[in-house]
């Protein structure tokens, strides 16, 4: 029996037949503002509750912005190890910011993997979030390079003992290719926006989950003051 871990969103665990298989990489896909970052932080907070070490690679927002956003929910994220990026003014290059002493590498896929590796060497990290894969993809101008590098990132993540949630923005202009990463991931969770009587509502579905059965229905989802809540018993259109 494969070990399942909770996502931090109870209704989603029901849809997943108990949670995610430990040690594998998963994609969390959705358009802008649908709650991807909130859900990803819930996933890491669930790890903290179990005394796990967790890592957030924040390539979209600075650690300070993330901290402020999450304080809206009353969530203290100081126990989450955050790696973010900063732009150097003169040349406009992006750098990875990490608490590693003397470390300030230019943001490339190999420097990102090095930073993650050195953290894994020092600490027993169990959960990782990468926010977002789109940021990694935007490092590459050619589709061939992008595919090869995304593949090597996913392969690297599969070799770690960590359960990884990789945020993938959909509908972005920067997308050169679609779905390739969905084949590489062990599972794919998608957040959708649906219009109902003039109101924009959210829903969530599981597109793929290797090694376990899962709910094939699309279910209503809400962002509340407690974070993302999924309603696994409800149908979208009634
Ligand atoms: N207390 C709250 N109650 C309800 N909704 C909230 C609350 N706080 C924030 N939101 C909603 O959460 C959304 C932002 O969530 P989040 O940052 O997780 O989205 P995202 O999918 O990561 O977006 P992006 O693609 O821009 O990074 C906003 O659309 C906002 O309306
Ligand atoms: Mg986000």
């Amino acid at each position: 029996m494969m070990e399942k871990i909770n996502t931090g969103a109870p209704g989603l665990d029901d849809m997943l037949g108990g949670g995610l298989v430990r040690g594998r990489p998963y994609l969390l896909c959705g358009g802008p503002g649908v709650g991807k970052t909130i859900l990803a932080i819930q996933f890491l907070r669930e790890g903290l509750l179990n005394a796990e070490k967790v890592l957030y690679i924040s390539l979209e927002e600075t650690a300070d912005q993330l901290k402020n956003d999450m304080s809206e929910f009353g969530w203290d994220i100081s126990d989450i190890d955050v790696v973010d990026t900063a732009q150097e003014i003169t040349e406009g290059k992006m750098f990875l910011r990490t608490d590693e002493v003397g470390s300030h590498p230019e943001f490339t896929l190999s420097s990102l993997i090095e930073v993650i590796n050195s953290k894994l060497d020092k600490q027993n990290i169990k959960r990782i979030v990468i926010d977002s894969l789109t940021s990694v993809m935007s490092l590459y101008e050619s589709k061939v390079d992008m595919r090869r590098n995304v593949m090597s990132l996913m392969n690297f993540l599969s070799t770690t003992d960590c359960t990884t949630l990789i945020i993938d923005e959909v509908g972005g202009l920067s997308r050169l290719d679609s779905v390739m990463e969905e084949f590489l991931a062990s599972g794919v969770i998608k957040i959708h926006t649906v219009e109902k009587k003039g109101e924009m509502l959210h829903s969530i579905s599981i597109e793929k989950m290797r090694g376990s059965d899962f709910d094939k229905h699309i279910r209503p989802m809400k962002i509340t003051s407690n974070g993302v809540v999924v309603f696994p018993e409800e149908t979208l259109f009634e």
Side-chain angles (χ1 to χ4, degrees), residues 116-124:
I116 296 174
N117 248 334
S118 93
K119 287 193 177 282
L120 293 181
D121 281 346
K122 288 181 203 128
Q123 306 171 63
N124 188 18

Side-chain angles (χ1 to χ4, degrees), residues 34-54:
V34 296
K36 300 182 298 295
T37 297
I38 296 167
L39 183 55
I41 292 288
Q42 277 170 261
F43 166 73
L44 295 187
R45 282 173 49 82
E46 180 67 25
L48 292 179
L49 275 179
N50 302 319
E52 296 172 358
K53 295 264 196 306
V54 302

